[in-house]
């Protein structure tokens, strides 16, 4: 960047008015700062924050002060335990009072992660919601049914409300927090399998990973649990001792990544789930000692959701953490952690391997620290905040020439900071897994760290708009695909142009679309499904990754060509859509083979047909839809990398060269093709031609099938 401090004699100067695009940025936000359980962070009503997700995340980064490790410019405390945010709103779910979205903000890095959940922050949601008028308080105590948006699960939160007013004062103490406060009871109703679709995502209660027996469990939080003795530990080590053991931490991370892939979560090297846990014997028959990791540091005490998972593994037989066998009914389990214990009450149904957890409950406390206005620093926004005026600069033609001549030199310094790859779908899906697999190898080749930023919503439009407006310097990239750059733009008018607003970098590959059904659906094959739908229209519902995505197009083309009727349920990405199809909330879906294959192989989904021109060698017995009697449904998904338009050509070429090198890596090819996708690289020019031709193709499909965005 050049700054002209003095006027140079005898030079003519041009008055340049720079008018940046102004996005509605909020500089002052209402906020309630709360200590909730053993965590602390700001609580917001959803309406207090920018509605645009990109702007919202930037506001949260500014609120916490995530830019530096000490977080001195925000309300964070320099720790992941004090860099948490709760966003609350009236619930859109039947039978629920409020929606709770948890966000983990980075420490020393500008990141916002809504993949995990936080049970400690959950304890502040009900009192906050009551005081903000979302829920009416009762005399004595009030139970608020909370829908956790992160895990799509329900929790009943009971708070003390004498005189129909929230009180924070009481005699209940929890380990890790000074003093006492009013008791808040958390009853987890359906947190089992909420993320992966199964309590034991691998289909086994014990897996052997790198020679170590582990239990992969999804109970309030996906965990990989291992015995302390198997790692040469007592299980009573303090967090700082474990963190200082670099060999141990590297081993745990290796186990975690392998377990994450086995759980169907894909490449989790850049993800915070699953969380690793080390367990050992407790003080008595009703307790278990736990060391919980976040995931690359040992928790100073213990996460609430992690305690639910550990207690579940302790209560159920056949896991590495199983305790003494107990009869059906209520049982109290103490999870011992470095600062004390968390007592969890679980209710068991059934016995032996048929036993399951009906619900789990525990006690937390919360306290309101302050309420007022939170001022967000302007530097966190990628666009100027609302009210900032256009800048006037005097630039001499000669100086401008110097700047122009220096531009190519600046490009040679790329990259000079962390690179962000924006993924337009939720974590855990096929796009996310593919992007993380590539990023793991791409970062070292480019000589910079790469972070994945999942910006699901609006069928990829949120992510696309964010990248289109990002600085054209190569440090913000997009893992785009057929939906963001062909199907969705063909379906509706968007606030970005898939061609004009982006610089294509290179193709990654293709994946056929697979027609799947819930494993227990009473349907033998496609012919049977068509017959049932014709006999009873709308008998089944299909899930999609959002309107304008490949699963949406494929489902609508299937309906059109098969002459049937099905209701559609759009989600923010393939991961939650697949999860609900596994869970039975929806019955049919058309995900990519890459996203669906692990769930088909584990028996969680039933493969009915390939929505493409040929069978897959990975599922040779699964026919194409044409073979099954439904012609005209060929949807092959493609994926590739984009940068904002006007990114310097040398930067594009540098990334393309590194990307193609990654795509030639045997390990990457094996991982991607093992999920059913075909790796294919390209030049930026050829990828750009593909995007243009696909846009034309899908516009024609929209007209023929009379598709709409609704």
């Amino acid at each position: 960047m050049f700054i002209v401090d003095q006027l140079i004699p005898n030079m003519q100067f041009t008055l340049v008015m720079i008018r940046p695009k102004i996005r509605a940025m909020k500089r002052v936000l209402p906020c309630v700062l709360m200590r909730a359980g053993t965590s602390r962070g700001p609580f917001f009503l959803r309406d207090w924050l920018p509605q645009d997700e990109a702007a919202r995340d930037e506001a949260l980064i500014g609120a916490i002060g995530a830019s530096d490790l000490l977080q001195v410019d925000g309300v964070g405390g320099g720790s992941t335990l004090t860099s948490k945010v709760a966003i609350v709103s009236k619930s859109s779910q039947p039978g629920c009072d409020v929606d709770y979205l948890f966000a983990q903000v980075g420490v020393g890095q500008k990141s916002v992660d809504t993949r995990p959940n936080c049970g400690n922050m959950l304890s502040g949601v009900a009192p906050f919601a009551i005081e903000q008028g979302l829920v009416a308080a009762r005399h004595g105590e009030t139970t608020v049914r909370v829908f956790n948006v992160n895990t799509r699960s329900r929790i009943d939160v009971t708070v003390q409300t004498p005189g129909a007013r929230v009180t924070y004062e009481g005699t209940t103490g929890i380990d890790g927090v000074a003093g006492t406060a009013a008791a808040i009871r958390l009853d987890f109703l359906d947190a089992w399998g909420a993320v992966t679709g199964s309590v034991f995502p691998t289909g086994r209660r014990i897996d052997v990973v790198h020679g170590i027996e582990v239990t992969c469990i999804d109970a309030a939080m996906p965990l990989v649990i291992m015995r302390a003795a198997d790692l040469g530990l007592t299980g009573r080590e303090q967090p700082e001792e474990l963190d200082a053991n670099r060999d141990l931490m590297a081993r745990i991370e290796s186990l975690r990544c392998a377990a994450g892939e086995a759980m169907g979560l894909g490449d989790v090297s850049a993800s915070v789930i699953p969380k690793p846990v080390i367990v050992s014997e407790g003080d008595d028959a009703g307790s278990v000692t736990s060391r919980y990791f976040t995931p690359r540091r040992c928790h100073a005490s213990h996460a609430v959701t992690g305690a639910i998972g550990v207690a579940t593994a302790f209560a159920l037989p056949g896991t590495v953490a199983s305790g003494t066998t107990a009869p059906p009914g209520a049982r109290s389990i103490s999870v011992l952690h470095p600062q004390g214990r968390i007592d969890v009450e679980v209710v068991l149904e059934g016995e032996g391997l048929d036993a399951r957890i009906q619900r789990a409950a525990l006690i937390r406390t919360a306290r309101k620290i302050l309420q007022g206005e939170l001022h967000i620093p302007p530097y966190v926004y990628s666009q100027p905040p609302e009210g900032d005026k256009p800048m006037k600069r005097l630039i001499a033609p000669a100086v401008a020439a110097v700047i122009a001549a220096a531009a190519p030199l600046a490009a040679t310094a790329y990259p000079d900071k962390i690179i962000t790859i924006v993924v337009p779908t939720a974590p855990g899906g096929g796009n996310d897994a593919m992007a993380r697999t590539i990023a793991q190898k791409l970062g070292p080749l480019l000589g910079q760290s790469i972070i994945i930023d999942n910006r699901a919503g609006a069928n990829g439009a949120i992510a696309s708009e964010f990248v289109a407006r990002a600085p054209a310097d190569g440090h913000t990239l997009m893992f785009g695909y057929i939906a963001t750059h062909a199907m969705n733009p063909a379906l509706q008018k968007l606030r970005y142009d898939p061609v004009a607003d982006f610089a294509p970098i290179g193709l990654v590959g293709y994946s056929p679309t697979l027609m799947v059904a819930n494993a227990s659906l009473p349907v033998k094959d496609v012919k049977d499904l068509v017959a049932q739908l014709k006999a009873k229209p709308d008998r089944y519902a299909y899930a999609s990754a959002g309107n304008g995505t490949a699963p949406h197009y494929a489902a609508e083309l299937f309906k059109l060509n098969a002459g049937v009727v099905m209701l559609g349920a759009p989600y923010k990405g393939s991961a939650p859509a697949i999860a609900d199809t596994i869970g039975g909330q929806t019955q049919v879906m058309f995900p990519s083979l890459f996203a669906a294959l692990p769930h088909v192989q584990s028996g969680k989904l039933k493969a009915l047909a390939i929505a493409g021109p040929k069978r897959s060698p990975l599922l040779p017995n699964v026919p194409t839809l044409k073979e099954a009697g439904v012609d005209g449904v060929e949807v092959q998904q493609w994926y590739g990398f984009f940068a904002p338009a006007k990114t310097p050509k040398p930067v594009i070429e540098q990334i393309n060269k590194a990307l193609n090198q990654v795509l030639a890596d045997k390990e990457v090819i094996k991982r991607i093709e093992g999920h059913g996708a075909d790796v294919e690289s390209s030049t930026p020019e050829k990828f750009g031609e593909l995007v243009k031709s696909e846009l034309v193709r899908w516009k024609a499909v929209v007209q023929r099938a009379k598709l709409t965005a609704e």
Side-chain angles (χ1 to χ4, degrees):
M1 179 177 180
F2 290 82
I3 300 175
V4 182
D5 292 324
Q6 297 179 345
L7 297 179
I8 303 174
N10 302 320
M11 284 190 176
Q12 294 181 343
F13 286 80
T14 303
L15 182 64
V16 180
M17 185 75 77
I18 302 175
R19 296 185 180 274
K21 295 180 181 178
I22 304 297
R23 202 168 47 176
M25 301 300 184
K26 298 183 179 181
R27 290 282 299 276
V28 180
L29 306 175
C31 172
V32 176
L33 185 67
M34 297 185 73
R35 190 273 300 165
T38 55
S39 297
R40 190 194 73 212
F43 281 65
F44 299 100
L45 290 179
R46 186 178 62 190
D47 292 343
W48 293 351
L49 294 167
Q51 296 304 299
D52 175 83
E53 285 191 20
R56 179 204 69 189
D57 288 354
E58 290 171 346
L60 298 184
I61 288 168
I64 293 293
S67 301
D68 68 273
L69 288 171
L70 295 179
Q71 300 179 333
V72 295
D73 207 28
V75 298
S79 164
T80 56
L81 304 183
T82 53
S83 304
K84 300 174 182 290
V85 174
I87 303 171
V88 184
S89 59
K90 267 286 189 184
S91 183
S92 59
Q93 302 295 318
C96 295
D97 298 307
V98 297
D99 288 344
Y100 157 52
L101 175 66
F102 167 71
Q104 180 71 62
V105 181
V107 179
Q109 63 174 9
K110 298 179 181 180
S111 64
V112 176
D113 193 350
T114 56
R115 288 169 291 185
N117 180 27
C118 180
N120 276 302
M121 289 292 280
L122 171 65
S123 60
V125 170
F128 173 78
I130 292 171
E131 291 189 330
Q132 297 304 320
L134 298 184
V135 179
R138 297 177 179 272
H139 289 276
E141 63 180 29
T142 303
T143 298
V144 178
R145 178 155 292 182
V146 178
F147 179 76
N148 179 227
V149 178
N150 308 74
T151 60
R152 301 190 65 80
S153 59
R154 300 167 302 150
I155 309 97
D156 281 345
V157 182
T158 302
V159 298
Q160 305 305 305
T161 52
R165 294 178 64 88
V166 171
T167 181
Y168 296 99
E169 297 181 1
T171 59
T172 300
I174 61 173
D175 292 326
V177 176
T180 61
I184 298 175
R185 180 181 173 89
L186 309 179
D187 283 280
F188 289 80
L189 305 178
D190 52 8
W192 293 270
V195 176
T196 64
S198 175
V199 176
F200 298 106
T202 67
R204 296 171 294 275
R205 301 195 177 200
I206 292 182
D207 291 279
V208 178
V209 179
H210 299 338
I212 298 292
E213 287 191 336
V214 302
T215 290
C216 300
I217 190 169
D218 180 4
M221 174 71 70
L223 306 176
V224 51
I225 305 175
M226 57 205 84
R227 301 185 190 96
D230 292 344
L231 298 172
L233 305 171
T234 66
R236 301 285 177 138
E237 290 83 0
Q238 290 301 303
E240 55 271 19
E241 182 181 353
L242 296 170
D243 290 345
N245 190 335
R246 293 186 178 180
D247 290 341
L248 172 68
M249 296 302 291
R251 189 179 185 189
I252 290 173
E253 178 63 8
S254 177
L255 286 164
R256 187 185 78 87
C257 289
E261 190 162 352
M263 296 168 75
L265 297 172
D267 180 6
V268 300
S269 57
S271 174
V272 297
I273 57 173
K275 307 282 191 179
V277 178
I278 297 173
V279 295
S280 56
E281 289 186 357
D283 292 340
D284 52 45
S287 64
V288 57
T289 300
S290 176
R291 294 295 183 262
Y292 178 89
F293 293 78
T294 62
R296 296 172 185 87
R297 292 182 65 87
C298 185
H299 201 296
S301 54
H302 208 289
V304 165
T305 48
I308 295 291
V310 171
T312 299
F314 183 83
L316 296 176
T319 77
V320 299
S322 296
T324 56
T325 302
R331 180 185 184 186
S332 181
I333 297 170
S334 295
V335 178
L336 310 182
H337 57 76
Q339 294 190 22
R341 67 173 60 209
I342 297 177
D343 293 319
V344 182
E345 180 187 88
V346 300
V347 177
L348 277 169
E349 284 187 341
E351 296 181 305
L353 295 179
D354 292 327
R356 68 181 187 88
I357 305 293
Q358 183 186 42
R359 64 177 181 83
L362 50 80
I363 300 296
R364 297 277 86 186
T365 65
R367 187 177 77 85
K368 182 164 68 174
I369 298 173
L370 61 85
Q371 181 169 351
E373 292 182 340
L374 188 61
H375 292 250
I376 308 299
Y379 62 78
V380 300
Y381 290 117
S382 58
Q383 297 291 337
E386 188 176 15
D388 283 10
K389 296 179 179 179
M391 297 172 286
K392 295 180 180 180
R393 293 179 185 170
L394 289 173
I395 301 180
V399 175
V402 172
I403 295 173
L409 296 177
T412 62
Y414 173 84
D416 60 2
K417 59 184 177 180
I418 291 175
I419 299 169
T420 298
I421 295 177
V422 178
V423 177
T425 55
N431 294 40
D432 180 64
M434 204 179 299
R436 292 178 189 277
T437 296
I438 294 169
Q440 193 174 13
K441 299 280 187 177
L442 188 64
L445 287 177
L446 292 175
Q448 269 292 347
S449 298
I450 293 180
I451 61 172
I452 300 296
D453 183 0
N454 294 90
R455 292 179 179 265
N459 315 324
I462 290 174
S464 301
E465 290 169 22
F466 176 79
V467 175
R469 292 195 296 262
D473 58 8
H475 292 94
T476 302
L477 309 177
M478 181 176 182
F479 186 79
Y481 70 123
I482 189 172
T484 55
H485 284 72
M487 288 181 163
N488 201 20
L491 185 66
Q492 58 187 320
K493 185 174 178 59
L494 300 168
R495 291 186 293 178
Y496 70 91
D497 188 304
V499 175
D501 290 342
F502 295 89
I505 295 173
L507 183 66
V508 166
Y510 296 88
S511 179
T513 298
L514 183 65
M515 183 182 190
V516 298
N518 175 271
S520 60
L521 194 71
V523 168
K524 292 182 294 184
D525 50 28
V526 173
K527 185 177 180 181
D528 185 22
L529 174 65
V530 171
Q532 291 190 39
L533 287 171
K534 286 186 175 180
K536 188 176 180 181
D538 281 339
R539 180 173 184 176
Y540 301 125
Y542 76 84
S544 76
N547 292 338
T549 62
H552 171 230
Y553 271 83
E556 290 297 321
L557 285 173
F558 172 76
K559 288 166 54 179
L560 177 69
N561 289 283
V564 297
V565 178
M566 276 194 299
L567 291 174
Y571 290 82
K572 291 184 178 181
S574 65
I578 288 175
D580 269 13
T581 306
I582 291 172
Q585 288 88 344
T586 53
Q587 292 74 46
V588 178
M589 189 182 170
F590 289 80
S592 69
L593 180 59
F594 186 91
L597 186 61
H599 304 291
V600 172
Q601 292 173 331
S602 66
K604 297 178 196 173
L605 289 173
K606 182 192 305 183
L608 296 179
I610 297 285
K614 62 181 180 179
R615 296 192 182 199
S616 167
L618 295 174
L619 296 171
N621 295 324
V622 177
T624 65
L625 271 171
K626 184 176 182 179
E627 291 173 332
V630 181
D631 199 1
V633 188
E634 292 189 4
V635 181
Q636 183 163 252
Q637 303 192 41
W638 50 259
Y639 314 86
F641 280 88
F642 297 87
K646 299 182 181 179
T647 299
K649 187 176 181 180
V651 172
I652 295 293
E653 292 174 345
Q654 183 179 345
I655 303 172
N656 175 263
K657 181 179 179 181
L659 173 63
N660 290 345
Q661 190 173 337
V662 170
L663 296 177
D665 186 290
K666 292 182 179 178
E667 182 183 342
V668 172
I669 293 172
K670 181 179 179 181
R671 185 175 295 182
I672 293 178
E673 291 187 347
H675 283 273
D678 294 320
V679 174
E680 185 172 328
S681 59
S682 75
T683 64
E685 293 75 20
K686 286 187 177 180
F687 185 38
E689 292 171 4
L690 171 68
V691 172
K692 292 176 183 177
S693 65
E694 284 286 280
L695 192 59
V696 171
R697 176 193 175 197
W698 292 107
K699 282 182 178 178
V701 171
V702 167
Q703 293 178 348
R704 181 169 61 86
K706 298 180 180 179
L707 299 181
T708 68
E710 299 301 324

